[in-house]
């Protein structure tokens, strides 16, 4: 079979790690008799530099007609001063929104070979680590109304802010003001809830819904809808947890979690925290799914400009993202298994990129890691 993969490698270490994922996919193609065709497109700071737009229409279009998207990472100090809508991050945010990728699956696991790389005490991760963070990806404060203005004589021109200002107590003094709105509809909450309950049924039947319902209206709606949905999944255990407590519980006893379902911003924060307890943020992949099979696959790490171009980045997260792509979008689960087994063999044989390197291991760079993993396919 032939598969069309849109590739948006992006900035920083994005291109380096994505090339290694492609190397591994090509080996999978040889071994299993598939052809992967790559349509490489600009996105992020790289696209801004070339076209003035971090997410050119041609990139959206190519991704939309592909079977799946392989994404690297975007952003860097070079573009930090740009206004929000021109920042490199718009590439990934825009693709998520344009392609309807509302369900972000971020598995958190610990290869037993890397138990020493986790900052947690051995007893709390003795049984390994296996959590699935299901993050809502196209709503909430990321995409709600936002803006900045200046208050003069107690007034602003932005209509949303004008209504907020009346509610502020004490009244704001003059000066600059900025806002972002957390807004969720029932439909948005329901569909991410369904994704989480369905995922739990294929795992250990537990969902912890993380919110801030003691403070936020949007969280109270979230919690209520999770309760309603639960009636359709009586075999799944549902618990609610406030996000501050969840951040603490993840470190205290991560194995109490099976599936965590949460909103866009809490999911962003908790997935970085989870990644660290899994040894290195360089290890974890993610899938961002629309209804149906279509998805975008990216490592959860960022563009790491400090190590870009130095052959130091860990390509495993990107390689495992390619495995998720095979499993979820292309229905090639044997092939996905082969990639995961190759990563395991790589670690078992003592190879480590600098982020997870220990005394006795064999230190390898990005490219050599990719070559070794490809050879284990
Ligand atoms: C992530 C990243 C993105 C996010 C950034 C790059 C916009 O941190 O995928 O977790 O906040 O969603
Ligand atoms: Mg993040």
């Amino acid at each position: 079979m032939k598969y069309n993969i849109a590739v948006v490698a992006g900035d920083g270490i994005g291109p380096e790690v994505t090339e290694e994922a492609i190397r591994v996919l090509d080996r999978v193609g040889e071994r299993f008799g598939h052809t992967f065709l790559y349509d490489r497109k600009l996105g992020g700071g790289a696209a801004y530099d070339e076209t003035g737009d971090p997410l050119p229409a041609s990139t959206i279009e190519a991704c939309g007609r592909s079977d799946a998207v392989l994404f690297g990472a975007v952003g860097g100090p070079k573009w930090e001063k740009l206004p929000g809508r021109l920042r490199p991050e718009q590439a990934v945010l825009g693709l998520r929104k344009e392609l309807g990728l509302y369900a972000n699956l971020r598995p958190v696991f610990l290869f037993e070979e890397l138990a020493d790389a986790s900052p947690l005490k051995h007893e709390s991760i003795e049984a390994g680590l296996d959590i699935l963070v299901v993050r809502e990806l196209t709503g909430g404060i990321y995409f709600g109304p936002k803006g900045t203005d200046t208050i003069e004589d107690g007034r602003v021109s932005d209509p949303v802010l004008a209504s907020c200002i009346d509610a502020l107590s004490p009244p704001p003094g003059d000066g600059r003001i900025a806002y972002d709105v957390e807004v969720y509809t029932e439909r948005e909450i329901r569909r991410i809830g369904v994704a989480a309950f369905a995922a739990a049924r294929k795992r250990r039947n537990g969902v912890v819904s993380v919110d801030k319902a003691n403070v936020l209206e949007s969280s109270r709606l979230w919690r209520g809808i999770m309760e309603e949905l639960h009636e359709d999944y009586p075999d799944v255990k549902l618990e609610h947890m406030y996000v501050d407590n969840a951040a603490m519980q993840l470190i205290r006893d991560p194995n109490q979690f099976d599936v965590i379902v949460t909103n866009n911003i809490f999911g962003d924060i908790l997935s970085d925290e989870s990644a660290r307890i899994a040894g290195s943020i360089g290890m974890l992949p993610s899938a961002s799914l629309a209804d149906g099979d279509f998805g975008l696959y990216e490592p959860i790490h960022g563009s790491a400009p400090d190590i870009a171009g130095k052959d130091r980045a860990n390509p495993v997260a990107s390689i495992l993202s390619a495995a998720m792509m095979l499993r979820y979008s292309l229905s090639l689960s044997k092939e996905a298994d082969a990639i995961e087994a190759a990563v395991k063999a790589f670690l078992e044989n003592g190879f480590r990129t600098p982020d997870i390197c220990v005394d006795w291991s064999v230190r390898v760079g990005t490219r050599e890691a990719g070559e070794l993993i490809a050879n284990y396919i």
Side-chain angles (χ1 to χ4, degrees), residues 127-143:
L129 188 60
D130 180 14
I131 304 171
L132 180 66
V133 178
V134 177
R135 168 186 175 195
E136 199 293 321
L137 204 58
T138 51
I141 198 165
Y142 272 61
F143 293 98

Side-chain angles (χ1 to χ4, degrees), residues 106 135 142 268-269 271-272 300:
R106 298 189 161 186
R135 168 186 175 195
Y142 272 61
D268 180 44
I269 298 165
S271 59
D272 268 36
I300 82 156

Side-chain angles (χ1 to χ4, degrees), residues 74 89 92-93 96 106 135 142 264 268 272 298 300:
V74 288
E89 288 78 3
V92 70
L93 297 174
R96 289 169 182 172
R106 298 189 161 186
R135 168 186 175 195
Y142 272 61
N264 205 343
D268 180 44
D272 268 36
E298 58 173 323
I300 82 156

Side-chain angles (χ1 to χ4, degrees), residues 66-81:
S66 70
D67 295 317
V69 183
L70 198 56
F71 195 90
V74 288
K78 184 174 174 197
W79 304 285
E80 220 119 83
K81 293 258 153 32

